[in-house]
Amino acid sequence: MTEPLTNPEEWNNLSRPVPEWFRNAPFGIFIHWGAYSVPAWAEPIGALGTIDDDREWFTHNPYAEWYYNTIRIDGSPAQQHHKETFDGEDYDAFLDQWKAEQFDPAEWMELFRYAGADYVVPTTKHHDGIALWDAPGTGERNTVRRGPGKDLIGEIAQAVKEKGMKLGLYYSGGLDWHVRPFPPHITSESVHGSGRPKDAGYAEYAYNQVLDLVDKYQPHVLWNDIEWPDAGKHFGEHGLGRLFEHFYAVNPEGVVNDRWGETHKDYATSEYEHATESESEAEWENCRGIGFSFGYNQVEGPEQSLSGPELARHLTDVVSRGGRFLLNVGPRADGTIPEIQRQALTDLGRWMETAKQYLVGARPLAAGVAAGQGDAWVRWVDRGSEVVAFVDAPSDGNGDEAVLELSGDGFSAAGASVVGPGGSLHLDGHVLKVTLDPDRPGPVVVRIPRT
């Protein structure tokens, strides 16, 4: 008999410092790939956290991986698109049309590693309930039995490990529109409350699948989404507490995120501009796509997408505030990475060749130690024996010079240097002036030693 409730102390007993590898992993790659990559359609209305009206967000959802939910909302443009383009066919037809015929996980990982990634987190089962491995309880409804005809997670996991990166696994424990077919979500309350499965049967189903993922692939990160069924929040048989204990036994250097309800976490998460209160916690991660969607959205173009230099700024900003950045890639159904995304990752990698080493192990610089004058874009990190400034032009792109000022003693302004391409430096009295090259690959890296 399972225990219906636990006391907070049981969850507290799972807490421990995050492992060294995670502290030194500023950048990860998320992968959203599924049957939704076949229609690959959503309205690119904006980033999560910038649209306050629930009805507008869900009816015009920019997340292509939410296609199955959006087409069930009466009057939504996605529903109309689905009728016109696919004659309103059943969503599961996309599983059979998803062939992944050009899938090359080794080539993916070569690109991700060049971009500077430390860990890679593919989706194993999204809210549509389609598993990317031969998951227990799914019967024929997975990518081994239908569609691609492959254990996609197994192939990705092997390629990740061969490139020396850490493997994370995403799992939607909070929603499964196939196993528990609720009405379509049109409010956030429905997603996180009344419209998610909470029963013991679904808790056991999810438990068995995540247990299988842990045992088969030995991930370093368990990245759950939305919530966990309430009936499974205990330490008894098929309980989440027992699942965490097993995960840590299999991989003592493993970490879990914060989307398991009020249970246990190793780190907090924000998403685009949503849940930014998480960014005040000791360990946190921001995730977002290159555009406004996680799954591939054929509607998105350059105007909705971040460039390589913009990704470099976002990553630097997150690290300077104590976080890490999980950047999503959404492959096409055939397994190729869209050119807009590939170019952004390649351009980011060009910058990371120089800058990555100054992000690894970096910590936020204490307030009042250093600053940039004027409207230049400057982010600081503390690396113990030195401080590092990442310097760029203002957001409007105007200006080719930035001024840095250090407060107090203990620094050698005369010993400061620019690392890599993108700019030059000279000392003017007690301030440092950084000249920015117009073709710089990203923020200019300035090292200032402590004395």
Side-chain angles (χ1 to χ4, degrees), residues 245-320:
E245 290 174 340
H246 180 74
F247 170 59
Y248 292 136
V250 169
N251 191 341
E253 292 197 327
V255 292
V256 304
N257 73 341
D258 62 343
R259 302 190 183 192
W260 311 82
E262 295 298 322
T263 58
H264 165 70
K265 67 176 183 294
D266 290 308
Y267 67 98
T269 59
S270 60
E271 185 170 328
Y272 285 89
E273 297 178 43
H274 174 69
T276 54
E277 67 275 7
S278 296
E279 297 176 2
S280 64
E281 298 204 21
E283 300 291 343
W284 61 275
E285 170 193 81
N286 173 253
C287 68
R288 63 156 294 154
I290 291 173
F292 296 141
S293 177
F294 286 92
Y296 170 55
N297 182 8
Q298 62 180 306
V299 179
E300 288 185 338
E303 62 274 17
Q304 289 91 22
S305 304
L306 297 182
S307 65
E310 288 170 329
L311 290 175
R313 281 171 69 132
H314 188 86
L315 170 59
T316 303
D317 176 69
V318 166
V319 173
S320 74

Side-chain angles (χ1 to χ4, degrees), residues 78-390:
Q79 185 180 74
Q80 185 64 31
H81 170 83
H82 189 64
K83 288 178 180 178
E84 293 174 354
T85 307
F86 301 104
D87 197 27
E89 67 184 354
D90 185 76
Y91 179 84
D92 272 26
F94 296 131
L95 173 55
D96 298 311
Q97 295 166 27
W98 177 22
K99 299 300 183 183
E101 62 271 23
Q102 297 188 58
F103 172 48
D104 184 349
E107 193 274 333
W108 283 12
M109 300 314 146
E110 187 72 30
L111 175 62
F112 300 162
R113 190 61 176 160
Y114 176 72
D118 304 289
Y119 58 111
V120 178
V121 185
T123 50
T124 67
K125 184 205 79 165
H126 207 265
H127 311 328
D128 61 6
I130 294 172
L132 277 66
W133 86 108
D134 196 6
T138 57
E140 298 292 307
R141 198 172 182 271
N142 61 64
T143 62
V144 176
R145 307 293 180 177
R146 291 169 63 182
K150 296 178 179 180
D151 177 359
L152 298 176
I153 297 304
E155 293 194 25
I156 290 171
Q158 182 64 29
V160 169
K161 294 172 183 178
E162 286 177 355
K163 284 297 178 184
M165 296 178 288
K166 303 296 187 185
L167 175 70
L169 296 176
Y170 166 107
Y171 182 84
S172 175
L175 298 174
D176 192 311
W177 299 323
H178 177 77
V179 175
R180 294 291 183 270
F182 283 78
H185 303 287
I186 57 173
T187 67
S188 297
E189 188 283 325
S190 170
V191 172
H192 296 279
S194 60
R196 66 175 176 87
K198 305 175 185 180
D199 62 283
Y202 178 63
E204 180 177 347
Y205 178 83
Y207 174 96
N208 287 334
Q209 291 191 347
V210 177
L211 183 71
D212 193 56
L213 289 169
V214 170
D215 289 343
K216 274 193 171 82
Y217 310 116
Q218 291 86 48
H220 276 76
V221 181
L222 283 184
W223 212 104
N224 188 58
D225 203 6
I226 304 295
E227 250 279 6
W228 192 257
D230 293 2
K233 294 174 181 176
H234 56 76
F235 283 77
E237 186 179 11
H238 303 124
L240 179 59
R242 188 169 293 184
L243 182 62
F244 285 149
E245 290 174 340
H246 180 74
F247 170 59
Y248 292 136
V250 169
N251 191 341
E253 292 197 327
V255 292
V256 304
N257 73 341
D258 62 343
R259 302 190 183 192
W260 311 82
E262 295 298 322
T263 58
H264 165 70
K265 67 176 183 294
D266 290 308
Y267 67 98
T269 59
S270 60
E271 185 170 328
Y272 285 89
E273 297 178 43
H274 174 69
T276 54
E277 67 275 7
S278 296
E279 297 176 2
S280 64
E281 298 204 21
E283 300 291 343
W284 61 275
E285 170 193 81
N286 173 253
C287 68
R288 63 156 294 154
I290 291 173
F292 296 141
S293 177
F294 286 92
Y296 170 55
N297 182 8
Q298 62 180 306
V299 179
E300 288 185 338
E303 62 274 17
Q304 289 91 22
S305 304
L306 297 182
S307 65
E310 288 170 329
L311 290 175
R313 281 171 69 132
H314 188 86
L315 170 59
T316 303
D317 176 69
V318 166
V319 173
S320 74
R321 295 184 289 114
R324 52 192 56 79
F325 179 30
L326 184 62
L327 172 66
N328 183 76
V329 172
R332 297 186 185 91
D334 65 4
T336 59
I337 295 174
E339 185 55 35
I340 289 175
Q341 299 180 40
R342 178 177 294 278
Q343 188 63 55
L345 291 169
T346 301
D347 290 345
L348 174 63
R350 179 182 165 216
W351 179 77
M352 289 282 266
E353 286 182 318
T354 296
K356 171 70 183 288
Q357 61 186 306
Y358 301 103
L359 298 172
V360 173
R363 298 293 178 262
L365 184 63
V369 173
Q373 293 183 359
D375 57 357
W377 188 96
V378 182
R379 297 294 183 272
W380 296 87
V381 299
D382 192 335
R383 292 183 46 81
S385 62
E386 64 181 2
V387 297
V388 178
F390 296 86

